[in-house]
Amino acid sequence: MNINLDTYYTKRKNVFDRIHNSNNIEKTAMVVLMACLTGIMAQIIIPLPWSPVPITGQTFAVLVSGLILGKKLGPLSQILYFVLGIIGINWFGGATGGLEIAFGSNFGYFIGFIFASMFIGYLTEKYAKSRKLRNIIPLMVIANFICIYVPGLIILAIWFNVTQGAYPDIISLLVMGLIPFIIGDIVKIIGASAISKALLPKTVN
Ligand SMILES: O=C(O)CCCC[C@@H]1SC[C@@H]2NC(=O)N[C@@H]21
C-alpha cells in the first residue's frame, strides 16, 4: 500500500485547524467528550491497600485534553469533569463522586489535572515544535510529575493531618502518593506523546 505522507500531513493540519477554529457548539461538545474520556479512564483502576490514592488511567486523558483542546478548552474539560463529579456523576476513580470524594484525599490531583492540561495546552498551542516526540515527552513528564503531583501531594499531606492528627513523614507521603504511580504514569505519558507524534502538525503553516 502506498501511503502518501503529504496527504496525511495536510489532513492532520486541517483537523488541527478545524478543532482550533470550531464554533461554540463544537467546542462545548469537545469539552464534554474530553471530560467523558477522563471519566472512562478513571474506571481503569488498581486500588492500593496502603493508600487512598488508586492507580488510574486518568492522567492519559488529562495530558491528551491539553494536546487536543489547547490551553483554554483542555483545562475547561478538567474543570467540567471535576464539577460534574461533585454534582452527581460517579465518574471519579472507581465509580465514585460527590463532595466528600472531590474534596478528600485526592482533591489535589484534581487541581493538578487542570494545571497539567493548561501547561500542555499552552505550550503545544504556542510552539508547534513542542509537539515533536523529543520535546513533548519531557513536557509531559513536567506536566505529570510537577503540575499534578505538587498539588496532589500537598493536599494529601493536609488530608492525612486532618484525618490522622499528624502530618506524614516525607517517605510515607511518597509511598502513598507518588512512588506506586511512576511506572503507570510513564506508560500513559508515552501513550499521550504518541498521540502528539501521530496526530498533531509540527509546523505552523
Ligand atoms: O479519585 C480520583 O478520581 C482521583 C485519583 C487520582 C489518581 C492519581 S493521578 C496521578 C497518579 N497516577 C495514578 O495512576 N494515580 C494517581
Side-chain angles (χ1 to χ4, degrees):
M1 192 171 65
N2 183 15
I3 298 171
N4 186 331
L5 271 183
D6 285 340
T7 313
Y8 170 60
Y9 292 151
T10 308
K11 284 219 166 96
R12 180 168 86 168
K13 176 84 177 72
N14 291 344
V15 171
F16 184 83
D17 290 344
R18 182 80 181 78
I19 290 174
H20 287 264
N21 297 308
S22 51
N23 63 35
N24 285 342
I25 295 174
E26 290 165 338
K27 281 184 176 141
T28 308
M30 289 188 297
V31 166
V32 171
L33 279 176
M34 204 53 84
C36 291
L37 178 66
T38 313
I40 291 167
M41 295 307 288
Q43 309 320 313
I44 300 172
I45 181 169
I46 305 176
L48 302 174
W50 65 89
S51 171
V53 190
I55 297 174
T56 73
Q58 276 152 315
T59 54
F60 172 79
V62 169
L63 298 171
V64 168
S65 73
L67 274 182
I68 305 283
L69 298 184
K71 66 175 185 285
K72 284 189 193 145
L73 300 185
L76 201 60
S77 70
Q78 296 308 311
I79 293 171
L80 184 71
Y81 171 64
F82 184 61
V83 171
L84 292 181
I86 292 176
I87 63 177
I89 302 182
N90 284 344
W91 63 5
F92 294 154
T96 58
L99 266 179
E100 211 173 304
I101 302 286
F103 295 103
S105 57
N106 301 347
F107 175 44
Y109 296 99
F110 291 121
I111 297 175
F113 291 171
I114 299 165
F115 288 145
S117 181
M118 197 182 296
F119 177 80
I120 290 296
Y122 175 79
L123 291 170
T124 54
E125 215 175 303
K126 192 167 163 84
Y127 306 105
K129 287 202 170 124
S130 70
R131 303 169 204 150
K132 292 184 179 212
L133 200 57
R134 67 166 177 271
N135 298 327
I136 197 67
I137 288 181
L139 293 179
M140 295 252 173
V141 168
I142 293 170
N144 193 89
F145 289 107
I146 307 284
C147 299
I148 296 178
Y149 280 95
V150 169
L153 289 172
I154 290 172
I155 300 286
L156 184 60
I158 294 171
W159 170 86
F160 193 90
N161 182 38
V162 170
T163 57
Q164 310 293 316
Y167 281 101
D169 60 75
I170 188 73
I171 300 294
S172 308
L173 182 64
L174 296 180
V175 167
M176 255 191 305
L178 168 71
I179 292 166
F181 310 110
I182 292 175
I183 292 176
D185 283 6
I186 289 173
V187 171
K188 288 170 274 174
I189 286 171
I190 292 170
S193 301
I195 300 249
S196 177
K197 160 97 180 138
L199 299 186
L200 298 192
K202 310 298 181 296
T203 53
V204 180
N205 298 309

